[in-house]
Amino acid sequence: MFWTAKLGQYLLVLLIILAINFFLPRAMPGSPLRFLAGEDVGFLPPETIQELLAKNGLDKPLPQQFWLYLKNLLKGDLGYSYQMKRPVLEVLWERLPWTLLLTGTSLILATIIGVVVGTLAAWRRGRRFDAISLTTFILLDSTPSFWLGMILIAVFAVNAKLLPIFGAQTPWVTLTGWAYIADILKHLILPVTTLTLTTISGTFMIMRYSMLQTLGADYITTARSKGLPERVVLYRHAMRNALLPVATVFMLNLGFVVSGATVVETVFSYPGLGRLLFEAVLNRDYPLLQGAFLLITLSVLAANVVADLLYPLLDPRVRSSR
Amino acid sequence: MEVGGRLRRAVRFFQENPLSWVGLILLIGLGGVALLAPYLSPYDPKEVVGRPFQKPSPEHPLGTNDIGQDILSELLYGARTSLLIGFTAAAIAILLGTLVGVVAGYAGGWVDAALMRLVDVVLVIPFLPLMILLAAYLGPGLINIIGVIAALIWARPARVIRSQVLSLKHSAYIEAAEALGAGFGRVLFRHVLPGVLPLALAQFILAASSSILIESSLAFLGLGDPLRKSWGTILYYAQARGAFLTGAWLWWVLPPGLLITLSVLGFALTGYALERLIQPQLARHGGPQPPRTRSQR
């Protein structure tokens, strides 16, 4: 019952995303061909226009067009980027690994730091460490990530010259082995720092709160009165139980990090999908824009499904109640 | 509770929570700047008033931008755009969210199920890519931006309002009204809706905080209204002209970002404070909730 409901919900999201992508170019005033082939479509030879019309079924009724759209998608045909003069899928494939690297690293780091600092803050409730971390994360939660990125570039890359200013690797040089990995890591530091700092707050707040509640529970008092060392009580008894709500925040952060990556990649000219989205808007490259949106959204959806599958493993109570 | 008691409790609350004061003061200050922009600005922000790329000087306290406009004046007027978009988008979103939440919660059954599915759908799609897509098709413009933001941030408030309605639904005064034969619409608008209004107000303040942040991202990506520069738009031009690669980041990049942060913070702190202020009335279980950060608003 639970799984059919969940599955149905994800299918519905999928359908809505596909529908948005399909209807947007067709709902706008003017010929949809303008969005599928570019503003200068009028200058194309008539045969090419005919071919484009036929391929997208623009001479047929809407339901048939939608069917054709789905069939093309299944074949991996996401259209043709008229600015890059390449198939959209090819471009997306090149960009996806960079976004996965950036968002994945940031999400993992933000979760770990949020959990650790949140635990410590709850343990030292009302003391200086708690006050400082709480203030810091409330402030960071209000900071626009692109601006934080610009400031970090100005301070650490331009003024201190410690790290590269933009990109994912040093251009015009071919590195191999460890030098290659080191180069990629060096380029990753600032974007990951930016994205992590603006993502930690969610995990921190929930962890601190959840830990405060757990620390007040009876079994913690029991563990303490048994004379167990504070560290054992904190990590083995309290932290494990307090972790559960973090899983929910992790799901929320997933979509959030992807949104954040869009602006952070733009600031750092990082060659991921988010930057691609920006370039596509700048160049009015609608097929590319739609393709990037589709892939980003599908990735988030897929990650949600995986997280949903893993959640019962984490919480036995959820397992039995379903 | 009579009005005097409420007021006394609110005053005591603000005395006990100094952070709420910070939030309110920030809002009043920034709102004042937005209102008084024409009197405070040394120049017309759209006028070319000097050489481009000037350093701060007595004539131009924050220098000039790439086409010779006064950056300080741009910032002061930018407060109007940023706050206007934040307020309007939040107001529309909360109107929609309250309506959906109240109807779903009170009607129950398939109406509730259908509306909540819709909420789930909106929540799972990463908002910024979808907003970029929509804004790119609709084109830049104040109305489009407000619409796009409102269309995607109503869902979480709707869920919050719904759960409040669910707990109100079985309260004595609603059941009494129903027993006296009040119809669906009457109970909804006379009893349920007033019951959630304080919560909706808190949600509105929090939504305004998100809207300002989202607007700054959209404007930074070049999707803002080109005729009305917001703080995000100023940063878009600063980025496009490489201001952060030179010393200019100190007066061209730092101030607009600080203003965005302060206004987002001001709304967020005030919103949390309001939420906590009305929580005793909600008789919620499990004690005070942690402040919801932006991934959860």
Side-chain angles (χ1 to χ4, degrees), chain A residues 9 13 35 141-144 146-147 151 153-154 158 198 202 209 213 252-253 256 259 262 278 281 286 290 293 304, chain B residues 120 124 127-128 130 132-133 137 216 220-221 235 244-245 249 253-254 257 261 265 286 288 290 293-296:
Chain A
Q9 190 194 319
V13 179
F35 297 113
D141 189 47
S142 303
T143 310
F146 59 88
W147 176 70
I151 300 294
I153 292 178
V158 179
T198 43
Y209 168 75
Q213 290 210 313
L252 295 173
N253 277 345
F256 179 76
S259 289
T262 311
F278 173 70
V281 171
Y286 292 95
Q290 292 199 304
F293 167 71
N304 265 293
Chain B
D120 289 339
V124 86
F127 62 93
L128 201 59
L130 181 53
I132 293 172
L133 186 74
Y137 270 100
S216 76
F220 174 72
L221 294 172
L235 285 169
F244 60 123
L245 302 178
W249 71 276
V253 177
L254 207 58
T261 307
L265 186 69
T293 52
R294 60 181 160 187
S295 67
Q296 304 148 41

Side-chain angles (χ1 to χ4, degrees), chain B residues 42-43 49-66 68-75 248 250-252 255:
Chain B
Y43 304 94
V49 289
R51 282 178 297 109
F53 297 113
Q54 277 186 54
K55 288 184 175 169
S57 62
E59 295 92 73
H60 303 288
L62 292 176
T64 56
N65 68 7
D66 54 321
Q69 293 162 329
D70 182 59
I71 294 179
L72 178 64
S73 309
E74 277 195 305
L75 278 180
L250 275 173
W251 55 89
W252 196 358

Side-chain angles (χ1 to χ4, degrees), chain A:
Chain A
M1 176 56 208
F2 175 76
W3 283 114
T4 35
K6 271 276 176 206
L7 200 70
Q9 190 194 319
Y10 285 128
L11 280 177
L12 183 68
V13 179
L14 184 67
L15 196 70
I16 288 178
I17 292 165
L18 292 176
I20 291 175
N21 248 353
F22 171 77
F23 280 109
L24 262 184
R26 287 166 176 84
M28 291 297 131
S31 163
L33 212 53
R34 191 158 59 91
F35 297 113
L36 298 169
E39 301 283 353
D40 47 0
V41 65
F43 301 111
L44 291 175
E47 310 87 74
T48 319
I49 294 186
Q50 271 313 314
E51 196 187 312
L52 275 167
L53 280 174
K55 202 192 122 212
N56 295 290
L58 289 174
D59 42 358
K60 299 197 180 69
L62 270 184
Q64 238 170 311
Q65 283 186 38
F66 190 57
W67 182 237
L68 207 60
Y69 169 75
L70 290 183
K71 269 212 306 221
N72 282 341
L73 267 189
L74 279 180
K75 277 190 279 181
D77 182 357
L78 288 173
Y80 191 78
S81 158
Y82 43 81
Q83 288 292 339
M84 302 208 171
K85 315 265 183 261
R86 291 167 65 195
V88 168
L89 192 67
E90 208 180 288
V91 183
L92 294 182
W93 233 220
E94 249 170 50
R95 302 294 192 103
L96 180 66
W98 295 114
T99 293
L100 288 180
L101 180 66
L102 175 61
T103 51
T105 316
S106 307
L107 199 55
I108 292 170
L109 278 180
T111 308
I112 294 175
I113 299 174
V115 164
V116 171
V117 181
T119 306
L120 292 176
W123 186 46
R124 307 191 155 254
R125 177 183 202 171
R127 309 258 283 275
R128 195 192 293 165
F129 181 82
D130 187 27
I132 291 177
S133 51
L134 203 56
T135 317
T136 310
F137 287 122
I138 286 180
L139 263 176
L140 275 175
D141 189 47
S142 303
T143 310
S145 48
F146 59 88
W147 176 70
L148 187 63
M150 289 166 97
I151 300 294
L152 289 179
I153 292 178
V155 174
F156 292 101
V158 179
N159 285 335
K161 297 194 173 54
L162 287 174
L163 293 161
I165 296 171
F166 67 90
Q169 41 198 323
T170 311
W172 322 124
V173 287
T174 323
L175 297 167
T176 48
W178 287 109
Y180 175 69
I181 296 176
D183 186 47
I184 285 183
L185 286 180
K186 226 164 63 186
H187 282 83
L188 197 61
I189 293 178
L190 283 185
V192 160
T193 308
T194 310
L195 203 50
T196 306
L197 282 178
T198 43
T199 313
I200 298 176
S201 303
T203 315
F204 168 81
M205 293 295 173
I206 294 289
M207 189 63 201
R208 176 179 175 275
Y209 168 75
S210 159
M211 196 68 186
L212 282 179
Q213 290 210 313
T214 314
L215 284 176
D218 288 341
Y219 69 93
I220 297 293
T221 317
T222 313
R224 273 191 179 138
S225 58
K226 276 196 298 189
L228 289 175
E230 192 63 22
R231 219 163 28 120
V232 176
V233 177
L234 193 66
Y235 292 112
R236 191 152 328 142
H237 294 247
M239 196 170 158
R240 278 177 63 180
N241 279 295
L243 265 174
L244 283 174
V246 172
T248 322
V249 178
F250 187 81
M251 303 264 283
L252 295 173
N253 277 345
L254 246 163
F256 179 76
V257 161
V258 169
S259 289
T262 311
V263 279
V264 171
E265 283 177 6
T266 304
V267 175
F268 288 93
S269 303
Y270 204 78
L273 287 171
R275 168 83 193 177
L276 189 67
L277 212 55
F278 173 70
E279 289 166 12
V281 171
L282 213 62
N283 297 326
R284 308 200 165 281
D285 195 338
Y286 292 95
L288 195 60
L289 179 62
Q290 292 199 304
F293 167 71
L294 192 65
L295 187 60
I296 290 174
T297 320
L298 287 184
S299 317
V300 171
L301 207 58
N304 265 293
V305 174
V306 173
D308 258 349
L309 282 169
L310 292 180
Y311 193 65
L313 296 180
L314 224 89
D315 188 355
R317 283 170 301 184
V318 178
R319 216 162 25 203
S320 58
S321 70
R322 282 176 187 174

Side-chain angles (χ1 to χ4, degrees), chain B residues 186-245:
Chain B
R186 189 178 163 80
V187 176
L188 196 65
F189 286 104
R190 292 296 291 272
H191 300 290
V192 178
L193 202 57
V196 298
L197 277 185
L199 186 63
L201 180 66
Q203 296 302 310
F204 165 71
I205 305 279
L206 288 174
S209 149
S210 314
S211 305
I212 291 172
L213 203 56
I214 292 169
E215 189 277 335
S216 76
S217 293
L218 286 175
F220 174 72
L221 294 172
L223 293 164
D225 188 335
L227 296 178
R228 262 183 259 220
K229 279 194 196 168
S230 69
W231 294 325
T233 325
I234 298 174
L235 285 169
Y236 165 73
Y237 285 109
Q239 151 97 2
R241 307 290 179 257
F244 60 123
L245 302 178

